[in-house]
């Protein structure tokens, strides 16, 4: 058996879809198995393409350099390339060398993938010339909630911050990180959170985590207890708590937010709340209930986990301040860049009460779970330079315009629909006539409009809402108006209105 990491010298770097393995990059080929060298080489290349190791468009080494690297005659490689071109695995064009043939991307998921952390969809099919052509159902318009317009990510400003941050960082910053995260980021966050959200934030009490979800999982592990959650919320968060060893019990939600009086009978030691903008119903927690939640924590030794996932995006009045301000020793404040910048960054933070800090950091040390320091340093610079504020302000205007457009379009084309929960955030709740949720979702699926129904968010142990209840109605849609790129928003609203017109008559 002969193995090789081809690393040919010279040859222009390839462009196109894939990278170039011929421009001083390594190409691992296992030439073992039956047959002569040419057959082995062809088999190894086919395998590399089939399994996706060599992506469509990738430029291969020249036959001369690969032959030199493998220690075989150049003709052996040239013949193998020629046969693979004839079979459709490779393409050869004058001036652009030999490349892996372009072919259809593996099939996209057949159903909307759901919000962050949604259950996995079917595995990706590796590319290969023999794969039958398939046209999966396509998402033409994405109106799922929980996502920002990632096409608006401030790439240039982020790059400026990344360059500046890395240039200024001492070498020591590239070593193993403090379990709380980089001090530069914690200082910048403390300043921003107290200024913009009213958080009582001491940099020593901030723990940087890979998004809200990892912070929640960590707290679930530390608390290991029964956690009361809002009866409507993200299933991924409930599942994370369960995985971490906590049990979740539902708290009723009505038009004043979570009914925190139920905490006394819920048998919970912690309560996960979205006080600024209940997710997904969109109501802010009533001031009386804010105080009552903190009173419960004080009286019972409990703790409130405050999920401030979209606190920056409030349109109709000044932002609702944070609950944590009422008692920083009884409330863990959690925030994220997933709405303000991009979920793919995986950067979030917690401001942790003194009593929980030790146990939280102990788990961080045991699990060695920290976030990449380059992104942390970049975010620190992004915050400190004012770029974060500028981006949030620009996006607030954009999302507010979209919200107004959505509300106006629904009033004109779907008057039977009542729109609620729109004072803040990136989503709206569309209350439907009784029994309409499933038919509307089915019509949306057929039209390629990705949408979620409210029922999906209900805690499995929560009772179904009865008619005339003051909470979320029985049938509703949760529509994310942040998700589409700017050019796709109007067509998405039109498609939604057409679906509603068709399904509701
Ligand atoms: C209610 C709620 N909390 C938190 C988050 C953010 O989660 P993460 O920071 O893990 O992306 C989301 C994102 O969709 C959310 O909907």
């Amino acid at each position: 058996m002969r193995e090789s990491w081809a690393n040919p010298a010279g040859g222009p770097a390839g462009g196109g879809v894939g990278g170039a393995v011929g421009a001083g990059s390594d190409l691992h080929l296992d030439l073992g198995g039956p047959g002569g060298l040419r057959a082995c080489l062809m088999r190894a290349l086919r395998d590399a393409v089939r399994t996706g190791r060599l992506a469509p468009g990738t430029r291969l080494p020249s036959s001369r350099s690969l032959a030199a690297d493998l220690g075989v005659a150049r003709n052996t490689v040239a013949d193998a390339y020629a046969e693979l071109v004839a079979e459709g695995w490779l393409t050869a064009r004058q001036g652009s060398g030999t490349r892996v043939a372009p072919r259809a991307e593996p099939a996209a998921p057949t159903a909307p993938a759901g919000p962050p952390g949604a259950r996995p969809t079917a595995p990706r099919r590796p590319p290969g010339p023999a794969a039958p052509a398939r046209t999966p159902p396509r998402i033409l318009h994405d109106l799922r909630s929980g996502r920002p317009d990632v096409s608006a990510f401030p790439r240039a400003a982020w790059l400026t911050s990344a360059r500046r941050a890395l240039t200024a960082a001492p070498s020591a910053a590239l070593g193993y990180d403090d379990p709380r995260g980089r001090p530069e980021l914690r200082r910048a966050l403390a300043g921003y959170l107290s200024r913009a959200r009213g958080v009582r934030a001491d940099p020593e009490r901030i723990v940087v985590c890979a998004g809200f979800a990892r912070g929640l999982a960590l707290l679930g592990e530390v608390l290991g207890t029964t956690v009361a959650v809002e009866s409507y919320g993200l299933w991924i968060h409930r599942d994370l708590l369960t995985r971490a060893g906590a049990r979740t019990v539902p708290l009723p939600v009505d038009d004043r937010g979570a009914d925190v009086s139920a905490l006394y009978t819920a048998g919970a030691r912690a309560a996960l709340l979205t006080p600024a903008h209940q997710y997904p119903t969109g109501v802010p927690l009533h001031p009386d209930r804010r105080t009552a939640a903190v009173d419960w924590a004080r009286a019972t030794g409990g703790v409130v986990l405050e999920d401030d996932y979209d606190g920056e995006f409030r349109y109709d009045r000044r932002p609702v301040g944070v609950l944590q301000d009422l008692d920083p020793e009884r409330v863990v404040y959690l925030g994220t860049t997933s709405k303000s910048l991009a979920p793919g960054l995986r950067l979030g933070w917690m401001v942790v009460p003194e009593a929980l800090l030790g146990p939280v950091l102990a788990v961080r040390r045991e699990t060695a779970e920290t976030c990449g320091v380059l992104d942390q340093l970049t975010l620190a610079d992004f915050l400190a330079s004012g770029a974060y504020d500028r981006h949030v302000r620009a996006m607030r205007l954009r999302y507010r315009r979209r919200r107004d457009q959505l509300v106006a379009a629904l009033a004109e084309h779907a008057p039977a629909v009542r729109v609620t929960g729109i004072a803040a955030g990136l989503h709206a709740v569309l209350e439907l006539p009784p029994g309409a949720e499933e038919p509307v979702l089915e019509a949306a699926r057929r039209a390629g409009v990705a949408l979620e129904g409210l029922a999906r968010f209900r805690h499995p142990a929560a009772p179904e809402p009865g008619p005339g209840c003051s909470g979320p109605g029985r049938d509703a849609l949760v529509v994310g108006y942040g998700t589409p790129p700017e050019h796709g928003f109007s067509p998405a609203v039109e498609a939604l209105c057409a679906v509603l017109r068709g399904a509701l008559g």
Side-chain angles (χ1 to χ4, degrees):
M1 176 168 112
R2 198 184 306 217
E3 285 198 356
S4 171
W5 284 261
N7 188 7
V17 186
V21 292
S25 307
D26 288 347
L27 169 59
H28 172 82
L29 290 174
D30 176 355
L31 299 189
L37 273 176
R38 188 169 57 107
C40 289
L41 177 58
M42 286 176 64
R43 193 165 48 237
L45 284 166
R46 272 195 216 101
D47 280 353
V49 174
R50 194 184 292 116
T51 58
R53 273 203 310 123
L54 286 177
T58 303
R59 185 177 182 160
L60 295 179
S62 69
S63 55
R64 177 152 37 88
S65 53
L66 184 57
D69 202 74
L70 295 175
V72 302
R74 183 178 175 188
N75 274 352
T76 306
V77 178
D79 289 352
Y81 276 6
E83 273 197 53
L84 291 172
V85 168
E87 287 177 11
W89 295 88
L90 305 179
T91 60
R93 218 176 298 136
Q94 196 74 39
S96 98
T98 305
R99 291 175 182 271
V100 178
R103 57 191 94 251
E105 275 294 296
T110 53
R119 290 161 177 101
T121 49
R124 286 162 68 92
R125 181 164 52 84
R134 201 151 67 93
T135 43
R138 286 181 57 207
I139 294 177
L140 301 174
H141 307 284
D142 193 348
L143 290 172
R144 287 171 291 175
S145 68
R147 296 138 194 264
D149 176 357
V150 287
S151 74
F153 185 80
R155 293 176 191 236
W158 186 260
L159 279 172
T160 303
S161 285
R163 173 174 288 277
R164 206 159 40 213
L166 185 55
T167 306
S171 298
L174 301 173
Y176 287 108
D177 195 11
D178 183 311
R180 285 169 301 190
R182 286 300 304 167
E184 296 89 335
L185 177 54
R186 289 185 283 115
R187 279 195 297 274
L189 279 171
Y192 172 76
L193 293 174
S194 67
R195 170 172 59 77
R197 299 292 300 125
V199 178
R200 286 206 251 163
D202 171 353
E204 299 300 306
R205 297 262 202 104
I206 293 181
V207 177
V208 178
C209 43
F212 166 86
R214 293 313 307 160
L216 181 66
L218 175 53
L219 291 167
E221 192 173 339
V222 166
L223 295 166
T225 180
T226 301
V227 180
V229 297
E230 293 162 329
S231 56
Y232 286 81
L234 264 186
W235 53 92
I236 175 71
H237 296 159
R238 297 192 292 260
D239 292 351
L240 278 169
L241 287 168
T242 310
R243 277 183 75 96
R247 196 173 77 90
T248 65
V249 289
L251 275 183
V253 169
D254 59 26
D255 54 11
R256 303 194 313 156
D259 179 3
V260 295
S261 66
L263 280 169
Y264 289 94
T265 48
R269 234 200 88 208
L272 172 61
L273 303 177
T274 46
H277 189 226
Q278 203 282 325
Y279 189 83
T281 66
V283 287
L285 188 62
H286 190 275
D288 293 347
R289 290 188 173 176
R290 291 162 69 89
T291 326
V294 172
D295 287 346
W296 163 80
R298 286 178 178 152
T300 62
V303 60
V304 175
L305 315 181
E306 177 173 18
D307 176 3
D308 194 33
Y309 64 103
D310 65 2
E312 288 99 343
F313 297 111
R314 182 140 211 113
Y315 311 118
D316 291 345
R317 52 194 165 100
R318 283 171 58 76
V320 175
V322 298
L323 198 63
Q324 188 257 9
D325 180 43
L326 297 179
D327 193 341
E329 300 307 331
R330 288 280 147 216
V331 180
V332 185
Y333 173 84
L334 295 110
T336 178
T337 54
S338 288
K339 308 282 175 162
S340 54
L341 283 167
L345 271 182
R346 304 315 302 143
L347 274 177
W349 45 83
M350 307 188 271
V351 186
V352 183
E354 174 83 60
L356 280 178
L357 191 60
V360 162
L361 294 182
V363 174
R364 294 273 345 232
R365 283 194 193 92
E366 281 162 22
T367 55
E369 188 179 304
T370 52
C371 300
V373 288
L374 297 185
D375 281 343
Q376 291 188 61
L377 293 169
T378 302
L379 180 59
D381 182 276
F382 201 73
L383 283 159
S385 66
Y388 188 86
D389 284 77
R390 281 192 292 281
H391 178 67
V392 164
R393 292 172 79 85
M395 295 310 290
R396 196 184 290 137
L397 285 178
R398 175 181 293 198
Y399 293 137
R400 185 190 174 131
R401 206 172 50 235
R402 288 186 182 195
R403 179 201 67 162
D404 293 347
Q405 184 181 336
L406 174 68
V407 170
L410 289 169
E412 186 180 344
H413 300 290
V417 168
R418 188 169 156 250
V419 190
T420 60
I422 53 171
L426 313 183
H427 69 273
V429 175
L430 274 52
E431 293 182 14
L432 303 173
E437 185 173 315
E438 260 315 310
V440 169
L441 289 174
E442 182 47 40
R445 264 190 291 275
R446 282 198 305 271
V449 181
L451 272 183
E452 288 153 337
L454 183 63
R456 193 168 189 212
F457 295 84
R458 192 165 57 235
H459 191 290
E464 283 215 16
C469 64
S470 68
R474 193 186 288 271
D475 291 274
L477 303 174
V478 182
V479 172
Y481 50 82
T483 317
E486 197 65 351
H487 67 271
F489 184 64
S490 295
V493 171
E494 280 163 28
L496 172 68
C497 289
V499 163
L500 289 167
R501 257 198 321 265
L504 303 179

